[in-house]
Amino acid sequence: MSSIPAFDTLIRNAALQGSVALTDIGIRDGRIAAIIPVAQRGEDKAHVVEDVGGRLVLPGFVDTHVHLDKSCLLACCRGVGGGLKGAVAAVSRLKQEFTEEDVYRRGARTIEMAILQGTMHMRTHVEVDPRVGLRSLAAIQRLKRDYAFAIDLSICVFPQEGLFNDPGTEALLEQALDSGADLLGGCPYTDSDPRAHMERLFDMAERHDVDLDFHLDFDLDPSWTHMDDICRLTEAKGWQGRVAIGHVTKLAAMEEALFERHVTQLLAAGVAVTALPSTDLYLNGRDKGFRAVRGVAPVHLLADRGITTSIATNNVMNPFTPYGDCSLLRMANLYANLMHIGPEGFSQCLDMITGDAARLMRIDAYGIAPGLFADLIVLDATLEDEAFGSIAPALMGLKKGRKTFERRAEIFHSRRTPIAQAEMIAEGP
């Protein structure tokens, strides 16, 4: 009996958040079976042993807001101007020609980048309207199945260009939910009737019993907001903990008293907030030129008050954001830079792409503890602050205990290596 391995995989010499001592992580049947301090290490056996040499091990990153269907369109969109309206118009023209295979190909490229950066859970928004029909949804549903070994993909269908001003969209959203979309999104600021837009989508979500995730308040004019309606409807429908809002860049332009009023309102309604730093920086404040303000919602202040928050990718290499490598760690690092957050706040920012983001998406069995899924990444750093501050690369990922990617740590070859010394000797003086 003693010869039977106790674990399928044993990760040795792992550094965990909040722990000084190194630990071993035993994995069995896709879940964490044991966390063993190295000082108490016994003769535990495993089919596979991975010695990570004191490097930081984290739960897989959680990206709460991505647009896979329109990612990697950069080659088609040179010269697009006009900020947000220009980006929406450019994609509106392009998506009429989207094919299922095209969306699948671009989405696969993006999802593989994300996996290699350590992302293991993702919520992707997918546009549904008469121009694209359900073609993008079909492609993303295929991606969800094909990449399930490495990432859990949640599909949020939404009307990017409005609902009441875009006849036929509502029926397509109903079809999408009937065909297996996971949740429903909204974009009231593009609709001719924003309030009716929000009310109709809440009714639809209630009928289908799905969560909601809205693109909201994407400008820097604090004189009006749709947060009041979102909070009112959330409480009226009993949807607390099931509604998220993304962008909400008006929060970055509010005076303190108004800001505090909305923070209190969001907390009472149980509405989560997602910051999307790269897109929000790129599209906001263009009328101010080089004097533009940051224009990113200060979600760390909301988190301090108990609101569920996250930092996410949004768009990748398209007219909305012509940048991106799908590194959530880089995105959280960018946010910290913007908000003047030093090492004392690194852990909080990291939580917004791990535990807090998982709470926003209502992910079960997430984290590093016995009984939870073994969705783990190894970063090329030994300390949490070092990993965050340097944007340490992910060296390995395990999804439910199965290795999904691996890359070699960097090796610096100096003139003092044995090989270099031998070459110098051979060359002579």
Side-chain angles (χ1 to χ4, degrees), residues 61-72 106-115 119-127 140 143 151-158 160 183 185 213 215 246-247 274-276 279 310-318 320-321 323-328 331 353 360-361:
F61 293 141
V62 180
D63 204 333
T64 63
H65 191 126
V66 182
H67 291 267
L68 290 177
D69 57 331
K70 56 191 181 190
S71 65
C72 299
R106 290 184 290 100
R109 178 183 173 191
T110 309
I111 214 169
E112 287 178 13
M113 283 195 290
I115 291 167
T119 297
M120 293 189 176
H121 299 270
M122 177 183 286
R123 173 180 289 178
T124 181
H125 292 252
V126 179
E127 295 185 21
I140 302 302
L143 288 170
I151 191 167
D152 292 321
L153 189 61
S154 177
I155 302 174
C156 178
V157 291
F158 85 114
Q160 169 72 81
L183 70 157
D213 196 334
H215 295 66
H247 297 295
T274 297
L276 305 163
T279 299
S310 69
I311 297 167
T313 298
N314 198 40
N315 284 288
V316 179
M317 292 191 291
N318 69 15
F320 293 85
T321 318
Y323 319 107
D325 60 359
C326 295
S327 168
L328 272 177
M331 199 63 67
I353 59 171
L360 186 152
M361 286 181 58

Side-chain angles (χ1 to χ4, degrees), residues 170-248:
E170 185 173 354
L172 286 167
L173 287 171
E174 292 277 6
Q175 285 182 249
L177 290 169
D178 287 337
S179 69
D182 299 293
L183 70 157
L184 183 63
C187 196
Y189 56 76
T190 62
D191 206 301
S192 56
D193 192 339
R195 176 168 288 188
H197 177 112
M198 291 179 276
E199 290 173 348
R200 187 64 58 85
L201 292 175
F202 266 92
D203 289 343
M204 195 182 301
E206 186 178 35
R207 287 198 305 276
H208 291 270
D209 190 22
V210 295
D211 293 359
L212 285 159
D213 196 334
F214 285 86
H215 295 66
L216 208 77
D217 288 1
F218 194 8
D219 62 55
L220 299 177
D221 178 3
S223 66
W224 63 271
T225 173
H226 290 137
M227 276 186 281
D228 298 327
D229 285 319
I230 290 292
C231 291
R232 172 181 59 82
L233 289 163
T234 299
E235 293 183 296
K237 295 290 186 181
W239 240 239
Q240 294 93 331
R242 302 187 64 177
V243 178
I245 53 178
H247 297 295
V248 208

Side-chain angles (χ1 to χ4, degrees), residues 28-61:
R28 185 170 53 244
D29 298 328
R31 291 180 182 260
I32 297 170
I35 296 179
I36 308 156
V38 168
Q40 301 173 22
R41 179 185 291 166
E43 296 298 321
D44 296 311
K45 295 182 173 62
H47 289 290
V48 176
V49 175
E50 300 281 359
D51 191 331
V52 299
R55 291 183 174 88
L56 184 65
V57 176
L58 297 175
F61 293 141

Side-chain angles (χ1 to χ4, degrees), residues 17 58-59 62 303 309-311 332 345-359 366 384 388:
Q17 286 180 281
L58 297 175
V62 180
T309 58
S310 69
I311 297 167
F346 285 1
S347 183
Q348 182 188 48
C349 291
L350 197 54
D351 285 344
M352 286 191 273
I353 59 171
T354 55
D356 289 349
R359 185 160 47 255
Y366 177 90
E384 180 181 347
F388 186 88

